Amino acid sequence: YTFYGGIYRDVWLRITDPVYVAGMNWATPSVSEQKASLQLHSVVRNAGTTPCQVTLRQEVIGPHHKTVASVSRSAAVPAAATIELDQATEITGPELWSPDTPNVYTVRSTLRAGERVVDISEAPLGFRWFKFDAQEGFILNGKRVQLQGVDWHQSYPGMGNALPNSRHWKDMQVIREMGANFWRTSHYPHDPATVEASDRLGLMIWEELPVSKEIGHPDAYIRNVVQMAREMIGRDRNHPSVILWGFAGEVNAPPPVIH
């Protein structure tokens, strides 16, 4: 495959108040067909020069656009500081995410300073549980699912890597229509549009770091992998389609790296 230079993906400029939600990720410690526990971990940043009292309200919006749970918490954010806020709730009778039922919820975080809304952000959410078993294979939501998939590169004839989001969505649709339920992001995290499409289409993902072939300096490699892993997981951990993180595909490496 060919490496290209320059900017070939979307670039976003996010303009916020000095106080804003800098990040949010979720965890589901337990999920069943009857109920799911949900933990929300948020980061609130105050880039201003004065302290601020805030209230963070988080709503869980179901696949049919109805709010199924909400939690709120107030806190003081010192000037030029970042704080972490944790909230938890339960969902009764969650609509599970799977290739056959790609039910995507939304977590909407609304931050207020007094009565004024200073920030609103949204993130996808999916309720599912899974495991790999040496005898039975892949178990999703308590049932064995045969993983059938492909490896996919982001380049396209005549476009190189500069694919529009519509092309990413179309390729994910083609993968799904051919009968696959799984794909691997061949050597690098792919455009966010491919992950968003996979959430909605029911494609499970093995997302991988941009590393392949020979590694000559194990210490430098490991430092770089740690940083890349933080960035990759930080970007896509809220997507229910991602079930595996890959750290070293097709690598010829010295023993310190392999072990």
Side-chain angles (χ1 to χ4, degrees):
Y1 56 98
T2 304
F3 287 100
Y4 298 89
I7 296 174
Y8 53 82
R9 292 185 183 173
D10 293 332
V11 176
W12 297 273
L13 175 63
R14 186 183 178 202
I15 300 172
T16 70
D17 265 54
V19 183
Y20 61 99
V21 178
M24 190 287 297
N25 65 275
W26 53 262
T28 50
S30 64
V31 179
S32 70
E33 294 180 354
Q34 289 73 41
K35 68 177 181 179
S37 60
L38 175 65
Q39 295 178 346
L40 303 171
H41 177 76
S42 304
V43 176
V44 177
R45 184 168 297 154
N46 182 359
T49 56
T50 58
C52 187
Q53 185 74 24
V54 299
T55 300
L56 178 64
R57 175 180 170 83
Q58 293 178 299
E59 300 167 276
V60 181
I61 302 168
H64 306 293
H65 312 293
K66 293 184 179 180
T67 299
V68 297
S70 65
V71 287
S72 295
R73 183 175 173 184
S74 298
V77 191
T82 299
I83 65 169
E84 298 182 359
L85 296 176
D86 292 323
Q87 304 196 92
T89 187
E90 280 192 349
I91 308 297
T92 302
E95 298 184 67
L96 301 179
W97 188 96
S98 75
D100 292 332
T101 60
N103 293 308
V104 180
Y105 289 69
T106 300
V107 178
R108 178 179 296 156
S109 300
T110 303
L111 188 68
R112 284 183 168 83
E115 295 300 317
R116 188 169 66 95
V117 174
V118 293
D119 195 15
I120 299 176
S121 62
E122 294 185 347
L125 162 67
F127 293 106
R128 76 281 192 267
W129 77 95
F130 59 87
K131 68 176 181 177
F132 290 88
D133 184 89
Q135 303 303 321
E136 297 185 56
F138 180 67
I139 310 298
L140 175 65
N141 300 334
K143 301 175 182 177
R144 185 185 185 279
V145 174
Q146 180 72 25
L147 295 176
Q148 295 179 294
V150 299
D151 178 70
W152 185 76
H153 281 292
Q154 65 189 7
S155 58
Y156 196 80
M159 297 181 181
N161 281 348
L163 275 66
N165 289 343
S166 59
R167 183 70 253 176
H168 288 303
W169 271 82
K170 182 60 179 177
D171 276 14
M172 295 302 105
Q173 288 173 329
V174 169
I175 290 172
R176 193 71 181 99
E177 288 167 2
M178 67 185 277
N181 59 13
F182 179 79
W183 68 285
R184 168 176 167 258
T185 67
S186 53
H187 310 314
Y188 43 88
H190 283 262
D191 192 290
T194 64
V195 188
E196 293 163 5
S198 297
D199 286 346
R200 303 288 174 177
L201 295 171
L203 279 168
M204 295 174 284
I205 302 175
W206 170 343
E207 187 166 359
E208 193 168 277
L209 291 177
V211 178
S212 88
K213 309 311 175 189
E214 289 75 17
I215 295 168
H217 302 283
D219 292 340
Y221 163 75
I222 291 171
R223 286 196 300 272
N224 193 35
V225 162
V226 169
Q227 180 59 32
M228 289 192 297
R230 288 195 182 104
E231 294 172 359
M232 176 177 69
I233 295 171
R235 192 192 79 171
D236 289 335
R237 61 186 165 186
N238 288 331
H239 290 278
S241 55
V242 180
I243 64 168
L244 288 166
W245 305 109
F247 293 95
E250 303 180 23
V251 170
N252 301 320
V257 172
I258 296 174
H259 301 295

